[in-house]
Amino acid sequence: EIVMTQSPATLSVSPGERATLSCRASQSASTDVAWYQQKPGQTPRLLIYGAFTRATGIPARFSGSGSGTEFTLTISSLQSEDFVVYYCQQYNKWPRTFGQGTKVEIK
Amino acid sequence: QVQLVQSGAEVKKPGASVTVSCKASGYNFNLYGVSWVRQAPGQGLEWMAWISAYTGNTNYAQRFQDRVIMTIDTSTSTASMELRSLRSDDTAVYYCTRDNVKGMDVWGQGTTVTVSS
């Protein structure tokens, strides 16, 4: 299976600054990678699919990039509601697999 | 609106089985697959299995292959997932998701399953 490894586990950033989250696949996932946001006590929400396409209703400050084995989620200017947990996930091969998550916290 | 509504919380004893249902509305159920994802307390997301609502084809994470049974009822736009031989480490929130080639774009509200003697 494709193992998705996210780094860092915790990212400390000041409000208004840029956050860069990384996700590495153990083998090529092409661009079949999605990113999800999960707020405490809430259901995960799809942010990005196809490595770089924003899902419906997702603000432009969220952007995705990468292909193959290296992927990045960038939040250009962190708002208070963005300090939560983010997961990457590949759907190129079965089984689907998630990364372990990155928590973005206030610096 | 497009939504998935799951069945309510369950408390089960070790060794028992649990079935979680997931009723879709607001879209053509037959055109999408359904993935099941779980999240143990304080942990990350774990993908369990997928079923096509159109063909009934399935895919499983290896660790669940022998314990998960999924069904589709197209007449009621409902997907169900049975997890057998429950253990304490199966305690988790279970989500159904609409899963197509654009990621998992719709999630159910989650069903808490507690396994305790």
Side-chain angles (χ1 to χ4, degrees):
Chain A
E1 70 178 45
I2 298 179
V3 176
M4 304 296 281
T5 302
Q6 292 186 240
S7 61
T10 303
L11 183 62
S12 299
V13 186
S14 299
E17 292 190 343
R18 175 188 297 259
T20 302
L21 288 67
S22 296
C23 179
R24 174 173 291 178
S26 62
Q27 58 183 278
S28 178
S30 185
T31 56
D32 297 329
V33 167
W35 290 90
Y36 302 86
Q37 177 192 65
Q38 188 176 31
K39 298 179 179 180
Q42 294 190 18
T43 297
R45 175 174 71 150
L46 177 67
L47 296 177
I48 301 285
Y49 64 90
F52 52 83
T53 303
R54 277 191 301 278
T56 303
I58 301 303
R61 65 180 182 274
F62 293 93
S63 63
S65 62
S67 66
T69 62
E70 300 287 342
F71 301 89
T72 300
L73 173 70
T74 301
I75 311 170
S76 60
S77 176
L78 280 160
Q79 308 298 303
S80 58
E81 63 267 28
D82 301 334
F83 290 93
V84 293
V85 180
Y86 297 85
Y87 297 93
C88 62
Q89 177 243 329
Q90 67 81 24
Y91 51 94
N92 183 256
K93 292 183 175 60
W94 301 104
R96 311 285 203 225
T97 45
F98 286 94
Q100 79 280 19
T102 290
K103 180 180 180 180
V104 178
E105 66 174 23
I106 298 175
K107 185 175 181 180
Chain B
Q1 72 278 24
V2 175
Q3 63 178 352
L4 298 171
V5 178
Q6 298 182 221
S7 50
E10 302 267 12
V11 179
K12 296 291 184 180
K13 294 191 181 303
S17 298
V18 68
T19 297
V20 179
S21 66
C22 171
K23 183 172 176 58
S25 60
Y27 71 97
N28 189 335
F29 181 68
N30 291 0
L31 296 183
Y32 294 84
V34 174
S35 269
W36 293 89
V37 175
R38 76 178 188 180
Q39 187 168 36
Q43 302 301 307
L45 302 173
E46 179 178 28
W47 181 81
M48 299 175 65
W50 170 90
I51 184 168
S52 166
Y54 181 65
T55 64
N57 288 348
T58 57
N59 279 284
Y60 298 88
Q62 187 168 8
R63 63 181 299 205
F64 297 108
Q65 183 123 22
D66 296 332
R67 293 202 296 139
V68 167
I69 299 174
M70 293 179 291
T71 58
I72 290 286
D73 184 344
T74 55
S75 69
T76 60
S77 299
T78 300
S80 296
M81 186 275 298
E82 179 187 11
L83 181 60
R84 299 178 292 180
S85 302
L86 289 167
R87 308 185 289 254
S88 58
D89 62 358
D90 290 318
T91 294
V93 177
Y94 290 77
Y95 296 102
C96 62
T97 75
R98 186 173 80 167
D99 184 351
N100 62 9
V101 294
K102 297 181 180 181
M104 301 179 199
D105 63 344
V106 182
W107 292 63
Q109 82 275 20
T111 297
T112 299
V113 175
T114 303
V115 183
S116 174
S117 55

